[in-house]
């Protein structure tokens, strides 16, 4: 039962343009959402998060949007840079589980020159 | 990833041997989470521990796998009688408290290869 889904396994974007990564979830108990970035042979690195009481959170080039009614969130990166090329994981947590996260399967972003 | 230390980085075991993976959380963190990433898949939760307590082991296989986080020393994920299907990257993460909506901090993982 995949409670967090990232339906695009890969995305290719030109440098300077916007990257939009999408994530859908099915568990209505999730109330905290995060994006992690992962390079090969390294652990996931936290990027940005959003609580369910908000619909947008911005940090520099990264913005996360949450649409609770659609159970959908997205990560916008603008402008995209070659160093952003990595696998991006969407994750969510629910009350009662501590900080336990449920991850999506990831989207491989490639930013081309 | 600074702060959460995992060792070894790479571990090769023959089928039937035991694997021990170690995780030292960030300073001041008393909660540890173990995740497994199989090839071409996302990270799957295995177990959540606090010092001397297993809080949630709902993701642990019923047999051969165990985890501990003693009062002193690192957290240990132990896999007995390894099989080829155990080959994966195992990641440890830590947090300071039970639920503070702070992000988990991950180590760089241990890559287990079973031959």
């Amino acid at each position: 039962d995949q409670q967090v889904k990232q339906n695009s396994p890969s995305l290719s974007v030109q440098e300077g343009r916007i990257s939009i990564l999408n994530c859908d979830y099915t568990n209505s108990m999730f109330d905290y959402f995060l994006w992690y970035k992962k390079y090969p042979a390294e652990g996931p690195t936290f990027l940005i998060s959003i609580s369910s009481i908000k619909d947008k959170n911005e940090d520099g080039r990264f913005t996360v949007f949450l649409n609770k009614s659609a159970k959908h969130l997205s990560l916008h990166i603008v402008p995209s840079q070659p160093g952003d090329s990595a696998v991006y994981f969407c994750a969510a947590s629910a009350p009662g589980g501590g900080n336990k996260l449920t991850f999506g399967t990831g989207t491989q972003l490639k930013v081309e020159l | 990833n600074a702060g959460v230390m995992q060792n070894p980085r790479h571990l090769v075991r023959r089928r039937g041997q035991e694997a021990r993976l170690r995780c030292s959380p960030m300073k001041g963190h008393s909660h540890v989470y173990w995740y497994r990433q199989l090839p071409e898949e996302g990270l799957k939760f295995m177990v959540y521990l606090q010092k001397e307590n297993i809080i949630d082991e709902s993701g642990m296989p019923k047999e051969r796998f165990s985890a501990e986080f003693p009062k002193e020393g690192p957290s240990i994920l132990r896999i007995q009688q390894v099989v080829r299907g155990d080959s994966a990257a195992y990641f440890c993460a830590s947090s300071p408290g039970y639920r503070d909506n702070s992000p988990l901090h991950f180590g760089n993982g241990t890559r287990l290869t079973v031959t």
Side-chain angles (χ1 to χ4, degrees):
Chain A
D1 176 28
Q2 190 70 30
Q3 297 185 59
V4 178
K5 299 177 186 178
Q6 293 177 256
N7 292 319
S8 298
S10 64
L11 175 67
S12 187
V13 170
Q14 279 197 315
E15 182 182 12
R17 306 296 287 267
I18 185 170
S19 295
I20 300 176
L21 296 96
N22 294 303
C23 177
D24 297 294
Y25 62 96
T26 57
N27 187 345
S28 57
M29 297 301 292
F30 287 145
D31 66 351
Y32 183 56
F33 304 88
L34 309 89
W35 285 93
Y36 280 82
K37 175 179 176 180
K38 186 180 180 303
Y39 293 117
E42 293 185 11
T45 302
F46 169 72
L47 205 52
I48 193 168
S49 63
I50 188 167
S51 164
S52 59
I53 61 173
K54 295 185 174 181
D55 54 19
K56 177 182 174 182
N57 188 25
E58 192 171 351
D59 183 1
R61 296 186 298 114
F62 303 92
T63 303
V64 56
F65 295 92
L66 176 63
N67 182 334
K68 286 189 293 294
S69 60
K71 293 191 177 67
H72 177 83
L73 64 156
S74 60
L75 174 68
H76 292 209
I77 307 172
V78 56
S80 301
Q81 300 173 353
D84 296 331
S85 296
V87 177
Y88 288 78
F89 290 99
C90 170
S93 71
N99 286 320
K100 170 183 167 183
L101 297 178
T102 301
F103 281 85
T105 51
T107 297
Q108 172 77 61
L109 173 65
K110 184 177 180 182
V111 179
E112 297 173 321
L113 297 170
Chain B
N1 296 328
V4 178
M5 303 300 295
Q6 289 188 249
N7 66 82
R9 287 296 309 274
H10 300 275
L11 182 61
V12 180
R13 285 287 178 267
R14 290 201 179 105
R15 278 179 296 169
Q17 290 185 320
E18 177 180 289
R20 283 195 178 213
L21 289 64
R22 294 174 183 77
C23 169
S24 296
M26 284 183 71
K27 189 175 182 180
H29 288 193
S30 59
H31 296 249
V32 164
Y33 301 75
W34 285 93
Y35 284 80
R36 174 166 68 173
Q37 185 181 24
L38 295 168
E40 309 302 324
E41 293 189 13
L43 283 80
K44 302 286 189 189
F45 169 77
M46 299 182 75
V47 62
Y48 164 30
L49 309 104
Q50 198 182 357
K51 287 277 188 182
E52 300 185 279
N53 282 308
I54 296 175
I55 308 299
D56 180 352
E57 55 182 349
S58 59
M60 286 279 269
K62 299 299 179 197
E63 298 176 349
R64 303 187 297 107
F65 285 72
S66 62
E68 62 176 8
F69 189 15
K71 189 176 179 181
E72 301 290 337
S75 175
I76 306 285
L77 179 68
R78 184 180 177 204
I79 311 172
Q80 295 178 294
Q81 299 175 329
V82 296
V83 300
R84 288 226 171 100
D86 297 331
S87 294
Y90 292 82
F91 293 98
C92 167
S94 71
S95 70
Y98 173 70
R99 186 128 204 273
D100 49 13
N101 279 355
S102 62
L104 292 183
H105 298 270
F106 284 84
N108 281 330
T110 293
R111 266 151 191 83
L112 172 65
T113 302
V114 179
T115 61

